[in-house]
Amino acid sequence: DTAVSQTPKYLVTQMGNDKSIKCEQNLGHDTMYWYKQDSKKFLKIMFSYNNKELIINETVPNRFSPKSPDKAHLNLHINSLELGDSAVYFCASSTGQGREQYFGPGTRLTVT
Amino acid sequence: GEDVEQSLFLSVREGDSSVINCTYTDSSSTYLYWYKQEPGAGLQLLTYIFSNMDMKQDQRLTVLLNKKDKHLSLRIADTQTGDSAIYFCAVENNAGNMLTFGGGTRLMVKP
C-alpha cells in the first residue's frame, strides 16, 4: 500500500549511458514532481507535471526528459549521464500544485 | 526567486525542547511546510501553516510564523532520539505551484 514508489532504489552506471527512473503514486493526486538532492542534502525541484502536462521545468539540462503516461506515473529519463548527475532523485505528488507533497523513498544514482 | 535559509546543525539532549529556525524572502508566500528526512528515506511531511496564522500546534510540534520578519520556526517538545533527522522548511510560491526548500537542519538528539 505504498503511496509514492520509485524504482530502482539504487542505480549505478557509467558516464555516457542512458537510464530511466520510474515513479508511481496511488494517492489519486493530480500533480507529480521530480527533485534532485545533492550530496549536501540540498533539495531542488526539477520538474512538475499537472494532469500529465508539464508545469515547471527548472533550468534542467535537456538530457533530462520527464514522461507522464498517465496521472499516476511520472518517469525520468536521463541521456548521456555525467558525473555531476550523481545524486538522490525524489519523486513526489500532491493534490494541487505545490500543496502538501508526499515523497517517494528516493533513487540513489551513482555515475562512475 | 525565493531564498530559504536554515542553520545546518542542532544538537540537544533527550527530553529538552528543540527549536529549528528558517528564514525566507518572498513575503507573498502562502503555505509554509516542515518536512523530516530520516537517513536513507524520503521526506515526510510533518506539519504546515497558512500565512495568515501566527502559530499552529500539533502534539509535540509547534510552528511559529513571523510574517513581518519572514521567520518560521519548528519547536519539538520533549525531543526523543527518534527525532534525530534532517528537518527541511519549504515555502510555497504565490502562484501555488512550487515549493522552495531550505538546505535542511540536521538535528542530533543525545541520550
Side-chain angles (χ1 to χ4, degrees):
Chain A
D1 59 350
T2 306
V4 183
S5 59
Q6 295 178 230
T7 53
K9 188 167 174 62
Y10 300 96
L11 183 54
V12 181
T13 188
Q14 292 184 327
M15 282 175 58
N17 285 348
D18 304 339
K19 290 294 178 185
S20 292
I21 306 171
K22 295 186 176 182
C23 177
E24 177 181 2
Q25 55 94 4
N26 62 6
L27 297 166
H29 288 165
D30 293 328
T31 308
M32 297 184 72
Y33 311 81
W34 277 109
Y35 288 87
K36 178 180 180 181
Q37 186 175 46
D38 62 24
S39 58
K40 294 183 179 177
K41 303 298 183 184
F42 186 70
L43 194 69
K44 185 158 175 60
I45 190 165
M46 300 173 68
F47 299 103
S48 163
Y49 266 73
N50 180 261
N51 280 318
K52 302 195 299 174
E53 286 190 29
L54 180 65
I55 302 299
I56 292 171
N57 179 343
E58 283 289 301
T59 59
V60 177
N62 57 15
R63 297 183 295 105
F64 290 78
S65 53
K67 285 190 172 49
S68 182
D70 55 57
K71 269 178 29 172
H73 296 84
L74 180 63
N75 304 323
L76 183 65
H77 188 75
I78 316 169
N79 289 328
S80 302
L81 277 154
E82 300 177 359
L83 292 177
D85 297 332
S86 294
V88 181
Y89 292 83
F90 287 101
C91 176
S93 71
S94 66
T95 53
Q97 297 176 47
R99 292 292 138 85
E100 305 164 44
Q101 294 184 20
Y102 293 82
F103 281 74
T107 296
R108 182 175 293 277
L109 171 66
T110 304
V111 182
T112 62
Chain B
E2 176 81 78
D3 192 23
V4 182
E5 300 277 345
Q6 297 178 239
S7 52
L8 283 178
F9 191 74
L10 175 65
S11 178
V12 300
R13 293 217 170 269
E14 193 172 17
D16 288 350
S17 292
S18 308
V19 179
I20 301 171
N21 295 303
C22 172
T23 58
Y24 58 98
T25 55
D26 185 356
S27 58
S28 63
S29 299
T30 51
Y31 286 87
L32 302 98
Y33 302 82
W34 283 103
Y35 284 84
K36 175 184 180 182
Q37 185 179 29
E38 297 184 14
L43 277 73
Q44 172 196 353
L45 177 65
L46 286 178
T47 186
Y48 65 92
I49 189 167
F50 188 53
S51 57
N52 68 354
M53 298 169 65
D54 297 325
M55 185 181 87
K56 180 178 180 182
Q57 187 152 0
D58 185 359
Q59 299 182 335
R60 291 191 298 123
L61 305 178
T62 303
V63 179
L64 294 178
L65 175 60
N66 182 328
K67 276 198 76 174
K68 176 174 166 290
D69 294 340
K70 296 177 210 163
H71 183 267
L72 181 73
S73 68
L74 174 70
R75 178 176 179 270
I76 306 172
D78 187 25
T79 313
Q80 304 297 307
T81 54
D83 294 325
S84 293
I86 301 176
Y87 290 80
F88 292 90
C89 70
V91 178
E92 183 177 293
N93 65 352
N94 193 36
N97 62 3
M98 194 168 87
L99 292 183
T100 300
F101 284 80
T105 298
R106 187 179 295 273
L107 174 65
M108 179 181 289
V109 182
K110 298 178 182 176

